[in-house]
Amino acid sequence: YVTVVNFSHTKQLRSFTGAPLRILVSRQNGRRYVLLRGIHESQVSSFRLDYIRQVKLGAPCPELGEWQRDAAAIQAWGPTYTGGSSLETVRLVLEAGADEVFILTRLQRERRHGQVRQIGPGRYEYRAEVPAVREILGWVKSFIGRIVVFESSDERATAMFYADLHRLQELYASTTPACGGEMR
């Protein structure tokens, strides 16, 4: 086991003791995270390596090899890992014109372990299984204006997505000028 002293983006120090399972590297920004399984529980937490202030070596962990083998099979979207063995499904349908090849290129490049297929003229479907749908929402929202359908097995994450869209619509509707008017 190891004990890490970590500081968060709010600069608060936090200590966590657990078994080091795996290092995850973000394909988007190159940040590196360590997954640690808690010493007294099966909770798995991730810590940015550049936020760790101190590491102390602890007692041997008899289950370390087994836990690390299990962690090697994790298909994480990002650094969040819920610790569950079941994956959640995501389905996203996007629309892109024939002159917007960059959208499909970006979708293919950033899909991670998801699948992309064309389902009609200018329509593309992305499907993936992820440990936490909420973690993928920021990426999904980056396609706003092109999203035709967003569905997921996590009803709360889907509701959050559509609530955010509704709020965005309200914000922009309140600042849209009347015909012939100017924005202030």
Side-chain angles (χ1 to χ4, degrees):
Y1 290 102
V2 295
T3 299
V4 297
V5 178
N6 180 70
F7 69 94
S8 68
H9 64 282
T10 60
K11 307 297 184 216
Q12 293 177 329
L13 288 176
R14 175 180 166 204
S15 180
F16 187 87
T17 301
L21 302 179
R22 179 176 171 187
I23 301 289
L24 297 176
V25 180
S26 169
R27 291 184 189 171
Q28 286 179 302
N29 56 29
R31 290 186 183 126
R32 296 176 302 160
Y33 300 81
V34 61
L35 289 182
L36 296 176
R37 181 173 174 154
I39 190 167
H40 297 294
E41 57 212 51
S42 62
Q43 173 192 358
V44 176
S45 298
S46 61
F47 299 91
R48 270 182 58 171
L49 291 183
D50 59 332
Y51 282 10
I52 294 175
R53 290 282 179 160
Q54 183 180 30
V55 178
K56 297 177 191 172
L57 190 59
C61 173
E63 296 91 358
L64 184 62
E66 177 186 341
W67 291 349
Q68 286 177 334
R69 279 188 298 281
D70 291 344
I74 295 171
Q75 288 191 5
W77 176 267
T80 301
Y81 175 65
T82 59
S85 58
S86 64
L87 296 173
E88 299 170 351
T89 60
V90 172
R91 178 175 179 255
L92 175 67
V93 176
L94 299 177
E95 204 166 71
D99 60 335
E100 298 176 310
V101 177
F102 64 94
I103 297 297
L104 181 58
T105 301
R106 179 175 167 228
L107 191 59
Q108 288 284 7
R109 182 181 65 240
E110 297 175 7
R111 68 184 170 83
R112 310 228 176 145
H113 51 275
Q115 301 299 313
V116 177
R117 69 183 183 108
Q118 187 168 5
I119 59 173
R123 287 209 173 184
Y124 300 91
E125 177 186 66
Y126 170 80
R127 286 184 179 265
E129 292 186 337
V130 295
V133 171
R134 289 180 190 196
E135 190 166 80
I136 196 174
L137 288 181
W139 179 76
V140 168
K141 290 176 192 174
S142 72
F143 289 100
I144 284 181
R146 302 182 184 289
I147 299 170
V148 178
V149 174
F150 173 75
E151 301 170 336
S152 83
S153 59
D154 181 343
E155 292 176 11
R156 289 176 58 196
T158 302
M160 182 186 306
F161 172 79
Y162 284 107
D164 288 348
L165 280 185
H166 181 70
R167 177 69 179 128
L168 191 63
Q169 187 177 24
E170 287 175 344
L171 286 170
Y172 279 99
S174 68
T175 60
T176 302
C179 290
E182 293 183 23
M183 292 190 71
R184 296 178 199 155

